[in-house]
Amino acid sequence: MLTSLQSKPCLLDSSPRASIYLAASQAEPTIKDDQITHPIPLKDRIPPGSWDSHMHVVEPNRYPVSLGAAYIPSSHTLEEALAFESTLGIKNIILVQPSIYGTDNSCLLEALKRIGPSHGRGVVVIDPATTCSATLRAWHTLGVRGVRINLQSVGRVLTKSELARTLSQHAELIRPLGWVIQLYLPLHMMSMLKRVAPSLGVKLCIDHFGCPRLPSSSTTNHQFNPYSLPGFSALIALLQAGQTYVKISAPYRLSRDKQLRDLGIITRELLRRAPRRVIYATDWPHTRFHGVDVGPFTELCLRLCASETGLTERVFRLNAEEMMRPAVLDQMAA
Protein backbone atom coordinates (compact mmCIF):
# COMPACT_ATOMS: atom_id res chain seq x y z
CA MET A 1 0.00 0.00 0.00
CA LEU A 2 1.49 3.31 -1.08
CA THR A 3 0.29 5.42 1.81
CA SER A 4 2.53 8.35 0.89
CA LEU A 5 0.84 8.66 -2.49
CA GLN A 6 -2.80 8.65 -1.43
CA SER A 7 -3.40 12.40 -1.62
CA LYS A 8 -4.52 14.21 -4.75
CA PRO A 9 -1.78 15.24 -7.20
CA CYS A 10 -0.17 18.49 -6.04
CA LEU A 11 0.02 20.94 -8.93
CA LEU A 12 2.31 23.91 -8.51
CA ASP A 13 0.36 26.22 -10.82
CA SER A 14 -3.18 27.06 -11.84
CA SER A 15 -2.46 27.40 -15.56
CA PRO A 16 -4.80 26.03 -18.22
CA ARG A 17 -2.33 23.19 -18.77
CA ALA A 18 -2.56 22.19 -15.11
CA SER A 19 -6.37 22.27 -15.22
CA ILE A 20 -6.41 20.13 -18.37
CA TYR A 21 -4.04 17.65 -16.75
CA LEU A 22 -6.22 17.35 -13.65
CA ALA A 23 -9.27 16.66 -15.82
CA ALA A 24 -7.31 14.26 -18.01
CA SER A 25 -6.04 12.28 -15.05
CA GLN A 26 -9.65 11.51 -14.16
CA ALA A 27 -10.74 10.59 -17.71
CA GLU A 28 -11.09 6.94 -18.68
CA PRO A 29 -9.47 5.32 -21.75
CA THR A 30 -11.51 3.21 -24.14
CA ILE A 31 -10.64 0.00 -25.99
CA LYS A 32 -11.53 -0.41 -29.64
CA ASP A 33 -10.19 -3.14 -31.93
CA ASP A 34 -7.74 -4.12 -29.16
CA GLN A 35 -6.24 -0.61 -29.23
CA ILE A 36 -6.34 1.56 -26.12
CA THR A 37 -7.33 5.13 -26.89
CA HIS A 38 -7.83 8.15 -24.68
CA PRO A 39 -10.20 11.10 -25.22
CA ILE A 40 -7.51 13.63 -24.23
CA PRO A 41 -4.19 14.10 -26.11
CA LEU A 42 -1.10 12.55 -24.57
CA LYS A 43 0.63 15.90 -24.03
CA ASP A 44 -2.26 17.04 -21.85
CA ARG A 45 -2.08 13.96 -19.63
CA ILE A 46 1.58 14.25 -18.70
CA PRO A 47 1.85 16.33 -15.49
CA PRO A 48 2.92 19.97 -15.81
CA GLY A 49 6.55 20.41 -14.83
CA SER A 50 7.47 16.88 -15.92
CA TRP A 51 11.00 15.92 -16.90
CA ASP A 52 12.33 13.88 -19.78
CA SER A 53 15.12 12.45 -17.70
CA HIS A 54 17.27 10.86 -20.40
CA MET A 55 17.92 12.39 -23.80
CA HIS A 56 20.87 13.41 -25.96
CA VAL A 57 21.88 16.28 -28.21
CA VAL A 58 24.43 15.27 -30.85
CA GLU A 59 25.91 17.49 -33.54
CA PRO A 60 28.82 15.63 -35.17
CA ASN A 61 29.36 18.43 -37.70
CA ARG A 62 30.00 20.99 -34.97
CA TYR A 63 31.33 18.64 -32.31
CA PRO A 64 33.24 15.69 -33.87
CA VAL A 65 32.80 12.33 -32.20
CA SER A 66 35.71 10.78 -30.32
CA LEU A 67 38.20 8.45 -31.94
CA GLY A 68 36.98 4.89 -31.75
CA ALA A 69 33.31 5.86 -31.36
CA ALA A 70 31.06 2.84 -31.90
CA TYR A 71 28.88 4.77 -34.35
CA ILE A 72 28.49 8.18 -35.97
CA PRO A 73 24.95 9.54 -35.63
CA SER A 74 23.16 12.07 -37.75
CA SER A 75 22.73 15.51 -36.24
CA HIS A 76 20.07 15.99 -33.56
CA THR A 77 20.09 19.59 -32.37
CA LEU A 78 18.72 21.23 -29.27
CA GLU A 79 16.00 22.86 -31.38
CA GLU A 80 14.91 19.43 -32.62
CA ALA A 81 15.01 18.09 -29.08
CA LEU A 82 12.76 20.84 -27.77
CA ALA A 83 10.38 20.41 -30.72
CA PHE A 84 10.12 16.71 -29.87
CA GLU A 85 9.49 17.47 -26.20
CA SER A 86 6.71 19.89 -27.12
CA THR A 87 4.76 16.96 -28.59
CA LEU A 88 4.71 15.51 -25.06
CA GLY A 89 4.12 18.82 -23.33
CA ILE A 90 7.48 18.51 -21.56
CA LYS A 91 9.67 21.57 -20.96
CA ASN A 92 12.26 20.16 -18.56
CA ILE A 93 15.04 17.88 -19.80
CA ILE A 94 18.09 16.05 -18.51
CA LEU A 95 20.83 15.89 -21.13
CA VAL A 96 22.99 12.77 -20.86
CA GLN A 97 26.46 12.48 -22.37
CA PRO A 98 26.42 9.79 -25.12
CA SER A 99 29.27 7.33 -25.51
CA ILE A 100 30.35 8.75 -28.90
CA TYR A 101 31.72 11.92 -27.24
CA GLY A 102 33.79 10.19 -24.58
CA THR A 103 34.84 12.73 -21.94
CA ASP A 104 34.42 15.75 -24.23
CA ASN A 105 31.21 17.25 -22.88
CA SER A 106 31.32 20.37 -25.08
CA CYS A 107 28.13 19.62 -27.02
CA LEU A 108 26.14 18.89 -23.87
CA LEU A 109 27.45 21.91 -21.96
CA GLU A 110 26.73 24.29 -24.84
CA ALA A 111 23.15 23.02 -25.05
CA LEU A 112 22.77 23.25 -21.27
CA LYS A 113 23.87 26.89 -21.32
CA ARG A 114 21.18 27.65 -23.87
CA ILE A 115 18.43 25.87 -21.95
CA GLY A 116 19.29 27.48 -18.64
CA PRO A 117 19.14 25.93 -15.17
CA SER A 118 15.39 26.50 -14.83
CA HIS A 119 14.58 23.81 -17.40
CA GLY A 120 17.78 21.84 -17.93
CA ARG A 121 20.05 19.45 -16.09
CA GLY A 122 23.05 17.52 -17.33
CA VAL A 123 24.91 14.26 -16.72
CA VAL A 124 28.52 14.34 -17.95
CA VAL A 125 31.28 11.78 -18.47
CA ILE A 126 34.63 12.45 -16.82
CA ASP A 127 38.04 10.95 -16.27
CA PRO A 128 38.45 11.20 -12.47
CA ALA A 129 42.23 11.27 -12.85
CA THR A 130 42.21 14.47 -14.89
CA THR A 131 39.07 16.31 -13.72
CA CYS A 132 39.40 18.93 -10.98
CA SER A 133 36.78 20.03 -8.47
CA ALA A 134 36.83 23.62 -9.81
CA THR A 135 35.66 22.37 -13.21
CA LEU A 136 32.84 20.40 -11.62
CA ARG A 137 31.74 23.40 -9.58
CA ALA A 138 31.61 25.54 -12.72
CA TRP A 139 29.51 22.88 -14.44
CA HIS A 140 27.26 22.75 -11.40
CA THR A 141 26.22 26.37 -12.00
CA LEU A 142 25.17 25.38 -15.52
CA GLY A 143 22.91 22.62 -14.21
CA VAL A 144 25.13 19.53 -14.28
CA ARG A 145 24.04 17.17 -11.52
CA GLY A 146 25.67 13.86 -12.30
CA VAL A 147 28.39 11.79 -13.94
CA ARG A 148 27.79 8.78 -16.14
CA ILE A 149 29.63 5.47 -16.25
CA ASN A 150 28.70 3.61 -19.43
CA LEU A 151 29.78 -0.01 -19.70
CA GLN A 152 26.95 -1.31 -21.86
CA SER A 153 27.38 0.80 -25.00
CA VAL A 154 31.09 0.15 -25.29
CA GLY A 155 31.05 -3.49 -24.24
CA ARG A 156 33.30 -2.87 -21.27
CA VAL A 157 33.54 -5.63 -18.64
CA LEU A 158 34.72 -4.95 -15.09
CA THR A 159 35.48 -7.21 -12.17
CA LYS A 160 33.99 -6.39 -8.77
CA SER A 161 37.23 -4.73 -7.64
CA GLU A 162 37.48 -2.71 -10.86
CA LEU A 163 33.86 -1.57 -10.53
CA ALA A 164 34.40 -0.63 -6.90
CA ARG A 165 37.51 1.37 -7.75
CA THR A 166 35.84 3.18 -10.67
CA LEU A 167 32.78 4.07 -8.61
CA SER A 168 34.86 5.22 -5.65
CA GLN A 169 36.98 7.50 -7.84
CA HIS A 170 33.87 9.17 -9.25
CA ALA A 171 32.14 9.34 -5.87
CA GLU A 172 35.10 11.11 -4.25
CA LEU A 173 34.85 13.92 -6.79
CA ILE A 174 31.10 14.41 -6.84
CA ARG A 175 30.20 13.79 -3.20
CA PRO A 176 30.86 17.42 -2.15
CA LEU A 177 28.46 18.56 -4.88
CA GLY A 178 25.67 16.15 -4.01
CA TRP A 179 25.61 14.73 -7.54
CA VAL A 180 24.44 11.34 -8.75
CA ILE A 181 26.38 8.57 -10.50
CA GLN A 182 24.41 7.31 -13.49
CA LEU A 183 25.18 3.76 -14.58
CA TYR A 184 24.53 2.01 -17.88
CA LEU A 185 25.42 -1.59 -17.21
CA PRO A 186 23.76 -5.00 -17.64
CA LEU A 187 21.25 -6.25 -15.09
CA HIS A 188 23.39 -9.20 -14.03
CA MET A 189 25.91 -6.74 -12.55
CA MET A 190 23.37 -5.43 -10.02
CA SER A 191 24.43 -8.01 -7.46
CA MET A 192 27.98 -6.71 -7.74
CA LEU A 193 26.75 -3.12 -7.52
CA LYS A 194 24.62 -3.92 -4.48
CA ARG A 195 27.74 -4.90 -2.53
CA VAL A 196 29.63 -1.75 -3.53
CA ALA A 197 26.90 0.91 -3.28
CA PRO A 198 26.65 1.35 0.54
CA SER A 199 30.25 2.57 0.79
CA LEU A 200 29.95 5.29 -1.89
CA GLY A 201 27.93 7.92 -0.04
CA VAL A 202 26.27 9.22 -3.24
CA LYS A 203 23.03 8.65 -5.11
CA LEU A 204 22.97 6.21 -8.02
CA CYS A 205 20.76 6.06 -11.11
CA ILE A 206 20.38 2.99 -13.31
CA ASP A 207 19.74 3.48 -17.04
CA HIS A 208 17.09 1.72 -19.13
CA PHE A 209 15.40 -0.66 -16.67
CA GLY A 210 18.86 -1.90 -15.64
CA CYS A 211 19.36 -3.29 -19.15
CA PRO A 212 17.84 -6.76 -18.65
CA ARG A 213 18.39 -9.50 -21.19
CA LEU A 214 14.79 -10.54 -21.79
CA PRO A 215 13.99 -14.08 -22.89
CA SER A 216 12.28 -14.21 -26.28
CA SER A 217 9.55 -16.42 -24.82
CA SER A 218 8.44 -13.54 -22.58
CA THR A 219 6.65 -11.95 -25.53
CA THR A 220 4.00 -14.65 -25.36
CA ASN A 221 4.24 -15.74 -21.74
CA HIS A 222 1.83 -13.74 -19.62
CA GLN A 223 3.31 -15.33 -16.49
CA PHE A 224 6.76 -13.87 -17.13
CA ASN A 225 8.49 -13.49 -13.78
CA PRO A 226 11.01 -10.61 -13.64
CA TYR A 227 12.70 -12.24 -10.64
CA SER A 228 13.87 -14.95 -13.00
CA LEU A 229 16.23 -12.38 -14.54
CA PRO A 230 19.73 -12.49 -12.99
CA GLY A 231 20.19 -9.29 -11.01
CA PHE A 232 16.55 -8.19 -10.76
CA SER A 233 16.24 -9.00 -7.06
CA ALA A 234 19.44 -7.03 -6.44
CA LEU A 235 18.02 -4.08 -8.38
CA ILE A 236 14.90 -4.09 -6.22
CA ALA A 237 17.08 -4.22 -3.09
CA LEU A 238 19.13 -1.26 -4.32
CA LEU A 239 15.99 0.78 -4.99
CA GLN A 240 14.49 -0.03 -1.61
CA ALA A 241 17.72 0.93 0.16
CA GLY A 242 16.84 4.51 -0.74
CA GLN A 243 19.87 5.87 -2.60
CA THR A 244 19.28 4.36 -6.06
CA TYR A 245 16.87 5.30 -8.86
CA VAL A 246 16.03 3.51 -12.11
CA LYS A 247 14.92 5.00 -15.42
CA ILE A 248 12.13 3.29 -17.30
CA SER A 249 13.30 4.17 -20.78
CA ALA A 250 14.46 2.86 -24.17
CA PRO A 251 12.11 -0.15 -24.34
CA TYR A 252 13.04 -0.74 -28.00
CA ARG A 253 16.60 -1.56 -26.93
CA LEU A 254 15.35 -4.37 -24.72
CA SER A 255 12.07 -5.97 -25.79
CA ARG A 256 10.98 -7.81 -28.93
CA ASP A 257 7.35 -7.61 -27.86
CA LYS A 258 5.55 -4.82 -29.73
CA GLN A 259 2.99 -4.69 -26.94
CA LEU A 260 5.75 -4.41 -24.31
CA ARG A 261 4.10 -6.98 -22.06
CA ASP A 262 7.43 -8.07 -20.59
CA LEU A 263 8.54 -4.55 -19.74
CA GLY A 264 5.03 -3.78 -18.52
CA ILE A 265 5.38 -6.57 -15.97
CA ILE A 266 8.81 -5.26 -14.94
CA THR A 267 7.52 -1.69 -14.65
CA ARG A 268 4.56 -2.76 -12.56
CA GLU A 269 6.87 -4.54 -10.11
CA LEU A 270 9.27 -1.60 -9.93
CA LEU A 271 6.36 0.72 -9.16
CA ARG A 272 4.97 -1.68 -6.57
CA ARG A 273 8.24 -2.15 -4.73
CA ALA A 274 9.88 1.29 -5.10
CA PRO A 275 7.43 3.99 -6.32
CA ARG A 276 9.70 6.82 -5.18
CA ARG A 277 12.68 5.55 -7.18
CA VAL A 278 11.26 5.09 -10.71
CA ILE A 279 11.78 7.79 -13.36
CA TYR A 280 10.30 8.16 -16.86
CA ALA A 281 12.49 9.07 -19.85
CA THR A 282 12.33 8.88 -23.66
CA ASP A 283 15.98 8.24 -24.68
CA TRP A 284 15.49 10.67 -27.60
CA PRO A 285 16.86 10.69 -30.34
CA HIS A 286 16.94 6.89 -30.01
CA THR A 287 20.44 6.56 -31.44
CA ARG A 288 20.98 3.55 -33.72
CA PHE A 289 17.20 3.10 -34.01
CA HIS A 290 14.88 4.66 -36.58
CA GLY A 291 11.20 5.50 -36.63
CA VAL A 292 10.71 5.16 -32.88
CA ASP A 293 7.31 6.28 -31.59
CA VAL A 294 7.43 6.95 -27.85
CA GLY A 295 3.64 7.24 -27.67
CA PRO A 296 2.75 3.59 -26.90
CA PHE A 297 5.42 3.28 -24.20
CA THR A 298 4.40 6.59 -22.64
CA GLU A 299 0.76 5.46 -22.69
CA LEU A 300 1.82 2.26 -20.92
CA CYS A 301 3.64 4.25 -18.23
CA LEU A 302 0.64 6.51 -17.68
CA ARG A 303 -1.70 3.53 -17.50
CA LEU A 304 0.45 1.72 -14.93
CA CYS A 305 0.87 4.87 -12.86
CA ALA A 306 -2.92 5.36 -12.76
CA SER A 307 -3.16 2.53 -10.23
CA GLU A 308 -2.24 4.88 -7.37
CA THR A 309 -3.19 8.51 -6.80
CA GLY A 310 -0.14 10.73 -7.18
CA LEU A 311 2.03 8.06 -8.76
CA THR A 312 2.06 9.77 -12.17
CA GLU A 313 3.44 12.92 -10.55
CA ARG A 314 6.09 10.80 -8.86
CA VAL A 315 7.32 9.01 -11.98
CA PHE A 316 7.15 11.92 -14.41
CA ARG A 317 8.24 14.79 -12.14
CA LEU A 318 8.93 14.43 -8.43
CA ASN A 319 11.35 11.51 -8.46
CA ALA A 320 13.55 13.17 -11.08
CA GLU A 321 13.55 16.43 -9.14
CA GLU A 322 14.51 14.68 -5.92
CA MET A 323 17.26 12.70 -7.63
CA MET A 324 18.79 15.80 -9.20
CA ARG A 325 18.46 18.00 -6.13
CA PRO A 326 21.90 18.40 -4.53
CA ALA A 327 22.08 17.85 -0.81
CA VAL A 328 24.77 20.51 -0.49
CA LEU A 329 25.89 23.75 -2.10
CA ASP A 330 22.48 25.34 -1.59
CA GLN A 331 23.96 28.69 -2.51
CA MET A 332 24.39 27.43 -6.08
CA ALA A 333 21.67 26.95 -8.67
CA ALA A 334 19.37 24.21 -7.30
Side-chain angles (χ1 to χ4, degrees), residues 128 158-171 196:
L158 299 181
T159 65
K160 179 187 174 183
S161 61
E162 290 171 335
L163 178 65
R165 182 168 60 253
T166 298
L167 288 169
S168 296
Q169 290 170 342
H170 283 77
V196 176

Side-chain angles (χ1 to χ4, degrees), residues 66-288:
S66 61
L67 294 176
Y71 63 97
I72 299 178
S74 56
S75 180
H76 298 283
T77 66
L78 177 60
E79 288 74 18
E80 291 171 321
L82 297 178
F84 163 77
E85 298 296 351
S86 69
T87 67
L88 298 173
I90 292 178
K91 296 182 178 179
N92 302 321
I93 61 177
I94 297 177
L95 293 171
V96 176
Q97 174 79 339
S99 63
I100 55 168
Y101 281 132
T103 58
D104 183 352
N105 298 281
S106 302
C107 185
L108 182 152
L109 294 170
E110 193 264 345
L112 202 55
K113 288 178 185 177
R114 293 170 60 194
I115 298 169
S118 296
H119 296 290
R121 291 290 182 267
V123 177
V124 297
V125 172
I126 64 171
D127 179 351
T130 60
T131 305
C132 67
S133 59
T135 296
L136 299 184
R137 290 171 69 93
W139 290 351
H140 187 98
T141 64
L142 296 178
V144 174
R145 292 295 183 273
V147 293
R148 190 187 197 199
I149 298 173
N150 183 345
L151 306 182
Q152 182 68 24
S153 292
V154 298
R156 189 178 173 199
V157 178
L158 299 181
T159 65
K160 179 187 174 183
S161 61
E162 290 171 335
L163 178 65
R165 182 168 60 253
T166 298
L167 288 169
S168 296
Q169 290 170 342
H170 283 77
E172 283 295 318
L173 277 173
I174 70 168
R175 193 179 300 115
L177 296 161
W179 287 7
V180 61
I181 296 178
Q182 184 171 312
L183 292 156
Y184 189 18
L185 71 176
L187 185 65
H188 67 80
M189 290 186 68
M190 294 302 156
S191 297
M192 189 186 301
L193 180 62
K194 177 186 170 185
R195 293 191 289 269
V196 176
S199 65
L200 298 176
V202 298
K203 292 176 283 189
L204 303 176
C205 180
I206 309 300
D207 282 348
H208 307 333
F209 291 90
C211 198
R213 185 173 182 178
L214 298 172
S216 58
S217 60
S218 64
T219 61
T220 56
N221 184 359
H222 293 280
Q223 300 304 315
F224 166 62
N225 180 4
Y227 290 95
S228 66
L229 300 171
F232 188 78
S233 295
L235 173 60
I236 293 294
L238 279 165
L239 299 178
Q240 293 186 324
Q243 284 294 95
T244 302
Y245 297 79
V246 63
K247 294 182 183 179
I248 48 174
S249 54
Y252 44 86
R253 300 187 188 275
L254 306 169
S255 177
R256 300 177 185 178
D257 183 4
K258 293 183 179 180
Q259 297 183 37
L260 300 177
R261 287 169 293 192
D262 43 12
L263 289 178
I265 291 171
I266 289 175
T267 301
R268 188 178 291 110
E269 186 63 9
L270 292 173
L271 293 174
R272 186 179 76 86
R273 301 295 297 274
R276 299 177 70 93
R277 295 291 177 264
V278 181
I279 296 174
Y280 166 84
T282 69
D283 191 40
W284 187 92
H286 327 298
T287 53
R288 291 193 271 187

Side-chain angles (χ1 to χ4, degrees), residues 9 11 15-31 35-51 85-91 280 293-308 310-317:
L11 301 182
S15 64
R17 167 75 194 283
S19 300
I20 293 172
Y21 164 68
L22 187 58
S25 65
Q26 300 169 349
E28 293 293 330
T30 59
I31 301 178
Q35 297 294 316
I36 297 177
T37 61
H38 200 283
I40 298 177
L42 180 62
K43 68 177 182 179
D44 292 325
R45 287 180 283 127
I46 292 178
S50 289
W51 289 80
E85 298 296 351
S86 69
T87 67
L88 298 173
I90 292 178
K91 296 182 178 179
Y280 166 84
D293 177 8
V294 301
F297 174 64
T298 305
E299 292 282 4
L300 173 64
C301 293
L302 288 171
R303 190 161 69 251
L304 293 176
C305 287
S307 61
E308 295 287 345
L311 189 53
T312 308
E313 283 274 307
R314 273 270 149 219
V315 172
F316 282 80
R317 181 174 69 85

